[in-house]
Amino acid sequence: MKNQRRNFIFNAGIATASLFLSKKLNKKRGFQYFHKSKGPIFLSTWDHGIEANKEALKTIDSGGSGLDAVEQGVRIIESDPENTSVGLGGMPDSTGKIALDACIMSSDGSCGAVCMLENIEHPISVARKVMEDTPHVLLAAEGAYDFAISKGFKKKNLNTSNSKKSYREWKKESKYKPIINVENHDTIGMLGMDDNGNIFGSCTTSGLAFKRRGRIGDSPIIGAGLFIDNEVGGAVATGLGESIIKIAGSAIIVELMRHGYSPIDACKEAVLRISKNEDIENIQVAFIALNKSGEYGAYSVHPGFNYALTENRKTSLIDSDHLRK
Ligand code: GLY
């Protein structure tokens, strides 16, 4: 009995010390601090992120959750026929069809995705339905389409006169170039932090222009195109999907932040890893990241990448730092 009591006191002592140490370590790493922004924080890729962030803020202001905000924000871009890299009017594949990829991830670790989804304007909302209404993470092609229809999404032809024209132009030579060059805009990825410090993310794209039929990029792949760990932060990617998938880009960035890297240093390290394995002359890849303290950062291979930031209820466009000077 005496021994049991001694063991109990000893174990309780160890538990208290561990709690103290882990709190101290977390404090050092900055995990337990929530952001100081007045209002939520949103970060999204490219200049189309400005509109997306504004919509996300509006969603929160009208009582929506952080998850609603990152979904509604990117839906605006999916519906924009002038935007040639996402949703309606996106770039066709090698057969002239617009095949969309998207994923969404919540602060509780749940996630959903669709890939090669055709004739549905809002792949991000189908991805959310996959997350909420199925035991699965990723649905593809016809299976994703049938699922979307079963959930009440309407069939819509996503080709516009502009996307058809681009395809006709490309068809003249039909050169298959799996590169995303430095001028190309591609993909909207969004990270959001609500007033309680919970982090959410979304990502949606028509993918590499004129991609081989069936080719899937990073954007619907959890851990590549997007990753959230609510204890640490989140990251989202844009650019050539193959390069991002090979290093599990977004997951790596979150892990680096877990081990003390700042968001910008974590994004830079991911870009450096790509540059070690590949000839980066003709590929653009960029990452944005947000940590639990509300710090953010971005890094790209080439100049030209920018991202939209909403903080203290103000939205601005920030040029990313880059590897190639
Ligand atoms: N990042 C989009 C793609 O490679 O498809």
Side-chain angles (χ1 to χ4, degrees):
M1 192 67 180
K2 240 185 195 170
N3 272 350
Q4 270 179 4
R5 195 164 165 265
R6 207 176 293 136
N7 281 347
F8 173 76
I9 291 171
F10 180 71
N11 287 339
I14 296 236
T16 311
S18 314
L19 191 65
F20 175 73
L21 276 176
S22 98
K23 270 191 170 173
K24 215 172 157 186
L25 201 61
N26 278 346
K27 190 172 173 185
K28 205 172 145 204
R29 288 171 173 163
F31 287 173
Q32 85 241 50
Y33 294 123
F34 291 160
H35 60 87
K36 297 184 183 72
S37 165
K38 289 189 191 75
I41 297 177
F42 295 106
L43 223 60
S44 359
T45 55
W46 304 108
D47 54 359
H48 50 208
I50 296 266
E51 287 312 307
N53 283 12
K54 285 183 179 166
E55 185 64 23
L57 189 59
K58 213 161 89 187
T59 304
I60 292 270
D61 286 347
S62 24
S65 65
L67 189 65
D68 295 333
V70 296
E71 178 191 3
Q72 295 302 322
V74 300
R75 273 175 66 104
I76 289 286
I77 312 305
E78 288 180 335
S79 289
D80 180 356
E82 302 301 317
N83 188 305
T84 57
S85 63
V86 182
L88 179 67
M91 275 297 145
D93 69 11
S94 55
T95 65
K97 296 188 169 113
I98 296 178
L100 303 174
D101 300 335
C103 73
I104 192 161
M105 193 158 185
S106 188
S107 54
D108 65 1
S110 51
C111 50
V114 287
C115 62
M116 216 183 148
L117 177 62
E118 289 169 18
N119 299 313
I120 299 286
E121 188 173 344
H122 292 298
I124 196 65
S125 298
V126 186
R128 181 167 177 180
K129 286 279 178 214
V130 172
M131 175 176 95
E132 290 177 341
D133 294 359
T134 81
H136 311 300
V137 167
L138 174 62
L139 294 183
E142 279 167 47
Y145 175 80
D146 292 346
F147 171 74
I149 295 296
S150 79
K151 291 289 167 186
F153 290 84
K154 296 279 170 270
K155 181 175 182 177
K156 181 166 178 166
N157 182 355
L158 302 179
N159 256 306
T160 57
S161 51
N162 195 24
S163 65
K164 285 186 208 154
K165 189 168 163 237
S166 304
Y167 181 67
R168 280 196 303 273
E169 285 300 312
W170 175 78
K171 237 347 213 175
K172 286 181 191 159
E173 291 195 32
S174 298
K175 273 202 185 130
Y176 187 61
K177 276 197 251 163
I179 57 165
I180 286 179
N181 69 28
V182 294
E183 287 89 31
N184 268 0
H185 277 217
D186 125 281
T187 308
I188 179 141
M190 176 181 275
L191 300 169
M193 184 186 260
D194 68 14
D195 284 338
N196 298 317
N198 293 315
I199 303 177
F200 305 85
S202 58
C203 186
T204 176
T205 190
S206 55
L208 178 64
F210 317 118
K211 61 195 173 187
R212 181 185 296 277
R213 180 109 184 111
R215 175 266 186 192
I216 308 294
D218 60 301
S219 302
I221 311 291
I222 296 293
L226 170 70
F227 196 68
I228 303 293
D229 182 327
N230 200 43
E231 278 189 357
V232 179
V236 71
T238 176
L240 187 64
E242 282 75 3
S243 307
I244 298 161
I245 293 171
K246 283 179 200 166
I247 61 152
S250 294
I252 281 293
I253 289 170
V254 171
E255 278 314 292
L256 289 167
M257 292 196 294
R258 188 192 304 281
H259 294 287
Y261 278 62
S262 68
I264 185 168
D265 286 345
C267 293
K268 183 174 181 179
E269 174 61 23
V271 167
L272 283 170
R273 285 189 195 188
I274 290 172
S275 75
K276 277 181 204 146
N277 299 331
E278 298 191 53
D279 174 9
I280 54 166
E281 206 46 53
N282 285 312
I283 60 170
Q284 176 65 308
V285 169
F287 297 100
I288 58 175
L290 174 68
N291 72 13
K292 197 69 179 168
S293 310
E295 295 162 340
Y296 49 83
Y299 208 80
S300 59
V301 174
H302 294 280
F305 172 63
N306 50 23
Y307 62 101
L309 167 72
T310 299
E311 192 182 32
N312 294 315
R313 308 190 59 79
K314 290 200 178 75
T315 301
S316 55
L317 194 63
I318 299 182
D319 286 328
S320 168
D321 200 358
H322 40 87
L323 188 63
R324 281 291 162 99
K325 301 293 175 190

